[in-house]
Amino acid sequence: MARMTFPALTVGFDLDMTLIDSRPGIRACYVALAERTGTYIDADLAVTRLGPPLAEELVNWFPAGEVAAVADLYREMYPSFAIAATPAMAGAREAVEAVRAAGGRTMVVTAKYEPNAKLHLAHLGISPDVVVGDLWAEQKAEALRAYGASVYVGDHVGDVRGARAAGALSVAVATGPCDGGELRAAGADVVLDDLAAFPGWLAGHRAAPRA
């Protein structure tokens, strides 16, 4: 069996609250879902805990036996309500381009339904080389290892766990529901305030003797 080879630098990014501020779009979709199903959903509360899979949020509002069907309905409704309403996070495009300028490859690994993740990226003009959806926390290590990612950037302690499970450097941004202290306690190797700091960090990382 031939040995797989990878670019010298492959960087993975999470999506929600790392590359995109999905709160407005997800809030709009939850409001529409509540109207469609006649079930109360506190959309403002739901968007404060983004990161885990959709089912983990829906179980707070729907009986467990209905969650799978409601999740399918949510994903069907999502493009109409969430894509146009969702902006890029500050520094997102520049972070992705910094990797490309360094001769590296970029990938997005997210718990979000993959087709909807791709719609977000296309709408915002962010073009990673690889997009893998439907993976959360340690599951993300599957994709990170498969593509030889040496760095994974995310905003949630679940992202830190995924990076560590993959043997990748965990770079955390304090732009999501987890603050810097939580991210450090979870084992993040680097904590940045936001992605605007990433290109400078990457340059220093590549210049370091063991980069």
Side-chain angles (χ1 to χ4, degrees):
M1 181 176 175
R3 183 177 179 181
M4 294 183 69
T5 58
F6 302 105
L9 176 66
T10 297
V11 177
F13 292 89
D14 177 49
L15 186 63
D16 287 8
M17 302 312 299
T18 299
L19 289 177
I20 66 173
D21 184 353
S22 51
R23 291 172 296 185
I26 289 177
R27 183 188 183 282
C29 196
Y30 275 132
V31 169
L33 182 68
E35 293 175 354
R36 177 83 169 265
T37 62
T39 299
Y40 173 75
I41 299 172
D42 187 338
D44 292 316
L45 175 60
V47 298
T48 67
R49 47 196 186 197
L50 300 180
L54 173 63
E56 293 191 20
E57 182 60 44
L58 292 180
V59 78
N60 294 304
W61 314 108
F62 295 89
E66 297 179 10
V67 165
V70 174
D72 287 343
L73 176 60
Y74 174 95
R75 294 184 182 112
E76 177 186 323
M77 297 170 63
Y78 191 93
S80 298
F81 293 95
I83 303 301
T86 297
M89 296 292 284
R93 295 181 181 87
E94 293 82 357
V96 171
E97 288 305 315
V99 178
R100 187 163 289 127
R105 176 171 58 175
T106 57
M107 61 185 304
V108 168
V109 186
T110 174
K112 189 179 290 297
Y113 180 54
E114 188 174 304
N116 288 340
K118 290 178 176 178
L119 288 175
H120 275 300
L121 293 163
H123 176 75
L124 295 170
I126 299 172
S127 302
D129 298 291
V130 178
V131 179
V132 182
D134 305 293
L135 296 177
W136 163 240
E138 288 83 358
Q139 295 173 343
K140 294 187 175 190
E142 301 169 18
L144 296 172
R145 286 194 300 263
Y147 289 93
S150 58
V151 177
Y152 185 58
V153 186
D155 66 282
H156 198 282
V157 295
D159 299 323
V160 177
R161 301 203 312 267
R164 293 178 67 84
L169 194 73
S170 172
V171 176
V173 286
T175 50
C178 304
D179 63 27
E182 291 176 273
L183 295 165
R184 290 185 188 91
D189 297 294
V190 178
V191 178
L192 306 175
D193 289 340
D194 54 38
L195 281 180
F198 179 81
W201 172 83
L202 181 64
H205 172 67
R206 295 184 66 239
R210 291 186 294 173

